[in-house]
Amino acid sequence: MPNKSIFISAVVPIALFVGAILVYASASVVQPGNRGVQVTFGEVNANTLEEGLHFINPVSVVKQVSIRQKTDVIRASSFSSDLQNINVTVKILHKIPESSVVRIFTNYAGDPFESLIAPRVQEAVKESTAMLSAEQIAKSREEVKQRSLELSRKKIGELLMVEDLVIEDIVLTPELQKAIEAKMVQEQEAGRAHFFQRQAETEAQTAVIRAKGDADALKIRGDALKQNPQVLQMNLIEKWNGVSPLVIGAGSQGASFILPLDKN
């Protein structure tokens, strides 16, 4: 009995110690924003681990793969449709979908940007700029962005999510930049000259209309006086100041008359 109790007292602590080691070795924590990939002797488990504490095979290793959105910047050197060299700086917003975590870890070691995303987006930007002239590219960033985003998603497929592209900068050669600026100045001056021309034409048309209106009004008044000569006589009487003598000769349709010389 004494030997048995000595044996138990020696084995129990060892067993507890070993058990604690096994529990510690099998416990794994997946950090927030990540998914865990289990690797056992080089073999990858097809099922991923979500955030939090997990108990796994003690001989397995858990690799963390981020599924958060990331932002990276690339620069693409391309040519426009008129063969001008264009340098475009693009900010890429991308993330790994949960359904692709194991494949991304297996094929791209968990970081697919340099080997998958960057070259596809560069290719998409080059194809987009090749469809536009240098002037159109400089004026239409949104169009370049939308075309590049659509092409990037088609090239990358569903393995990764390209959520958005931001065109940060479009750099033209100094000579081309000056040429575009000079053309824009010419277009503004031409637009201003066209505006003044239209304004002068409008003013001229307004003057013609006003003159025609005045002429029509005079004609109407003349015709009215011919038909009613007494109206003219009444106007003359109303405007007489009562001092100066006034002799009115006979008109074509009315008798002459003399206004009195004295004002009573």
Side-chain angles (χ1 to χ4, degrees):
M1 291 294 296
N3 291 334
K4 185 177 180 180
S5 9
I6 293 173
F7 175 78
I8 293 175
S9 62
V11 170
V12 170
I14 295 174
L16 292 175
F17 178 73
V18 172
I21 292 177
L22 291 175
V23 170
Y24 178 79
S26 63
S28 180
V29 176
V30 178
Q31 299 300 323
N34 291 351
R35 291 297 180 266
V37 178
Q38 298 180 69
V39 181
T40 306
F41 297 123
E43 182 180 355
V44 178
N45 192 314
N47 298 318
T48 58
L49 302 176
E50 296 187 354
E51 302 168 357
L53 176 64
H54 300 272
F55 292 96
I56 60 173
N57 189 331
V59 297
S60 298
V61 177
V62 175
K63 300 294 185 180
Q64 308 272 337
V65 178
S66 174
I67 59 170
R68 291 173 175 167
Q69 177 179 289
K70 296 182 179 179
T71 301
D72 291 285
V73 177
I74 65 166
R75 290 173 178 80
S77 179
S78 57
F79 287 92
S80 61
S81 61
D82 50 356
L83 301 180
Q84 299 293 331
N85 183 253
I86 310 292
N87 292 306
V88 184
T89 302
V90 184
K91 183 182 290 184
I92 308 170
L93 284 66
H94 61 95
K95 64 184 297 186
I96 300 174
E98 292 195 39
S99 59
S100 301
V101 168
V102 174
R103 283 187 294 167
I104 292 296
F105 175 78
T106 303
N107 299 329
Y108 300 97
D111 186 9
F113 180 77
E114 291 296 335
S115 55
L116 178 61
I117 299 176
R120 300 298 188 278
V121 175
Q122 286 177 334
E123 185 179 1
V125 171
K126 290 180 179 181
E127 292 181 13
S128 299
T129 55
M131 300 172 65
L132 301 171
S133 68
E135 183 178 358
Q136 290 173 324
I137 294 170
K139 293 180 178 180
S140 307
R141 290 193 177 197
E142 185 63 24
E143 184 176 354
V144 174
K145 169 205 166 166
Q146 292 298 335
R147 288 186 178 184
S148 300
L149 180 59
E150 181 180 354
L151 289 173
S152 298
R153 287 172 173 169
K154 288 181 179 180
K155 293 176 183 297
I156 295 172
E158 298 180 355
L159 186 61
L160 289 170
M161 294 175 61
V162 179
E163 302 203 336
D164 200 6
L165 298 180
V166 179
I167 305 296
E168 287 198 321
D169 195 17
I170 295 177
V171 180
L172 311 177
T173 61
E175 296 78 11
L176 180 59
Q177 185 69 39
K178 290 180 180 178
I180 292 176
E181 290 175 355
K183 183 177 179 180
M184 291 177 64
V185 171
Q186 291 176 353
E187 290 177 350
Q188 291 175 356
E189 292 178 349
R192 189 181 298 108
H194 181 67
F195 169 76
F196 287 133
Q197 179 182 357
R198 291 294 301 273
Q199 186 179 32
E201 291 174 355
T202 302
E203 291 176 353
Q205 292 174 358
T206 302
V208 170
I209 293 172
R210 186 183 296 112
K212 187 176 183 302
D214 293 342
D216 291 343
L218 289 174
K219 184 176 183 302
I220 292 172
R221 291 182 63 188
D223 292 342
L225 290 174
K226 286 180 181 179
Q227 295 176 5
N228 302 282
Q230 63 274 15
V231 174
L232 177 60
Q233 295 174 359
M234 292 300 298
N235 288 338
L236 292 172
I237 293 172
E238 290 175 356
K239 294 181 179 180
W240 179 53
N241 58 12
V243 176
S244 302
L246 184 61
V247 178
I248 305 299
S252 60
Q253 299 181 3
S256 61
F257 61 91
I258 300 175
L259 298 177
L261 296 175
D262 298 328
K263 182 179 180 180
N264 298 322

